[in-house]
Amino acid sequence: MITNLVREKLNNGETVHGIFASNSDGTQTELLAMLGWDFLVFDGEHSFLEPKELADLSRTCDLRRVTPIVRSPGSHPQTVNRYLDAGAHGVIFPMINSGEQAKQIVQTVKYPPVGSRGLASPRVADFGLTEPLDEYVIRANKQTLIIAQVETIEALSNLNEMLSIEEIDIFFLGPTDLSTNMGLCGKLEHPKVKTAIAQLSKDIISSGKIFGVYVKDWENARYYEYELGARFIATGLSFLIARGSKEYLKKISGEE
């Protein structure tokens, strides 16, 4: 298992930036991996990502020293284990709303004695060829990131018990989902939404956990990093393409 570079940077107090890849195309992944991102997220929640595809995408990330992370469609152990065996160095779990759910994702990701993940000799373990499996288990338990996505009022209500679970590394805010759950869909500047997010960031950071967030542009990335203390920041490829295209077309048409 290759060292988790994102964990290493976070442990050193750095902020890491990543991007959600829009599809499972290997060439796109290689291009993104060469652009300077700390991590790439391959989305199994809102796309049709298969473990076989993730294995190839993870190989590309490993070659370019970019951390591959998967967003799982849920916390079912067999689903998550296949993504991890394929090469993901961390898992984002959507809609984690309670301490019990948070405990379950730890069980799913970590090998015994910490969790209950099933053991094999997958590619992420170099097929058992480069180190004894017992050493791999110890290393995987230390290296693999667990990222709980906070995006509901229920999660805010149960945040303290979720934060108390030692093995969860990052609490990742989905601002639009949270605003929608609050009945204020997409109204991220609404005072109630801003207050809820500000309090969430304070609670996460004061607990010693990493505050993560999904943003649409660099302005919001800077706001969340410098105003609210986020250190795990991700954006979406579609946002960058849309904004870049609009700016380009305005420039060449003489509108700017």
Side-chain angles (χ1 to χ4, degrees), residues 36-89:
W37 300 103
D38 296 299
F39 62 91
L40 302 185
V41 181
F42 302 103
D43 196 0
E45 182 190 14
H46 292 299
S47 69
F48 305 104
L49 181 70
E50 295 293 334
K52 181 180 179 181
E53 295 171 315
L54 184 63
D56 291 334
L57 301 174
S58 296
R59 288 187 183 95
T60 301
C61 289
D62 293 344
L63 286 170
R64 298 295 181 179
R65 293 181 59 78
V66 176
T67 299
I69 292 174
V70 67
R71 180 158 68 175
S72 175
S75 58
H76 193 280
Q78 279 69 41
T79 299
V80 176
N81 203 12
R82 293 176 74 202
Y83 284 134
L84 288 171
D85 284 355
H89 291 192

Side-chain angles (χ1 to χ4, degrees), residues 92-106:
I92 298 175
F93 290 91
M95 294 288 179
I96 301 302
N97 296 320
S98 69
E100 192 57 39
Q101 288 180 334
K103 290 177 183 177
Q104 180 55 53
I105 64 176
V106 172

Side-chain angles (χ1 to χ4, degrees), residues 1-8 55 57-68 84 86-90 122-127 130-131 136 139-145:
M1 181 179 182
I2 295 173
T3 300
N4 190 325
L5 298 175
V6 161
R7 177 180 287 281
E8 193 173 84
L57 301 174
S58 296
R59 288 187 183 95
T60 301
C61 289
D62 293 344
L63 286 170
R64 298 295 181 179
R65 293 181 59 78
V66 176
T67 299
L84 288 171
H89 291 192
R123 74 159 297 268
V124 74
D126 294 331
F127 309 104
T130 58
E131 65 182 337
Y136 157 72
R139 225 153 53 86
N141 275 356
K142 289 181 179 179
Q143 290 285 316
T144 308
L145 287 166

Side-chain angles (χ1 to χ4, degrees), residues 16-251:
V16 294
H17 293 272
I19 188 166
F20 276 71
S22 60
N23 58 50
S24 56
D25 179 75
T27 301
Q28 175 187 276
T29 296
E30 186 170 24
L31 173 61
L32 292 174
M34 295 175 68
L35 293 177
W37 300 103
D38 296 299
F39 62 91
L40 302 185
V41 181
F42 302 103
D43 196 0
E45 182 190 14
H46 292 299
S47 69
F48 305 104
L49 181 70
E50 295 293 334
K52 181 180 179 181
E53 295 171 315
L54 184 63
D56 291 334
L57 301 174
S58 296
R59 288 187 183 95
T60 301
C61 289
D62 293 344
L63 286 170
R64 298 295 181 179
R65 293 181 59 78
V66 176
T67 299
I69 292 174
V70 67
R71 180 158 68 175
S72 175
S75 58
H76 193 280
Q78 279 69 41
T79 299
V80 176
N81 203 12
R82 293 176 74 202
Y83 284 134
L84 288 171
D85 284 355
H89 291 192
V91 185
I92 298 175
F93 290 91
M95 294 288 179
I96 301 302
N97 296 320
S98 69
E100 192 57 39
Q101 288 180 334
K103 290 177 183 177
Q104 180 55 53
I105 64 176
V106 172
Q107 289 294 307
T108 299
V109 170
K110 301 293 186 179
Y111 289 114
V114 182
S116 56
R117 178 181 169 189
L119 179 61
S121 300
R123 74 159 297 268
V124 74
D126 294 331
F127 309 104
L129 298 175
T130 58
E131 65 182 337
L133 277 179
D134 60 339
E135 294 180 13
Y136 157 72
V137 165
I138 293 170
R139 225 153 53 86
N141 275 356
K142 289 181 179 179
Q143 290 285 316
T144 308
L145 287 166
I146 301 180
I147 305 158
Q149 196 155 347
V150 179
E151 44 195 342
T152 66
I153 296 173
E154 184 182 359
L156 297 183
S157 299
N158 295 323
L159 186 63
N160 285 338
E161 63 183 72
M162 293 160 63
L163 291 172
S164 70
I165 298 169
E166 181 181 353
E167 294 82 5
I168 296 181
D169 302 288
I170 299 166
F171 285 83
F172 185 69
L173 169 65
T176 302
D177 276 309
L178 179 60
S179 69
T180 301
N181 193 258
M182 295 174 68
L184 297 163
C185 181
K187 298 178 181 178
L188 302 186
E189 296 302 314
H190 192 284
K192 289 184 178 179
V193 177
K194 293 193 74 171
T195 299
I197 290 174
Q199 186 61 53
L200 172 68
S201 68
K202 289 179 183 177
D203 291 342
I204 292 171
I205 294 168
S206 65
S207 76
K209 304 292 188 181
I210 303 294
F211 173 43
V213 64
Y214 183 75
V215 300
K216 293 185 178 181
D217 52 46
W218 66 265
E219 293 94 339
N220 272 294
R222 290 179 64 87
Y223 168 76
Y224 277 104
E225 179 177 358
Y226 295 110
E227 299 296 327
L228 298 184
R231 291 206 292 122
F232 180 92
I233 301 172
T235 190
L237 180 59
S238 59
F239 295 135
L240 298 188
I241 292 173
R243 181 169 180 172
S245 297
K246 289 177 181 178
E247 289 179 357
Y248 176 88
L249 292 171
K250 283 183 178 180
K251 292 285 187 182

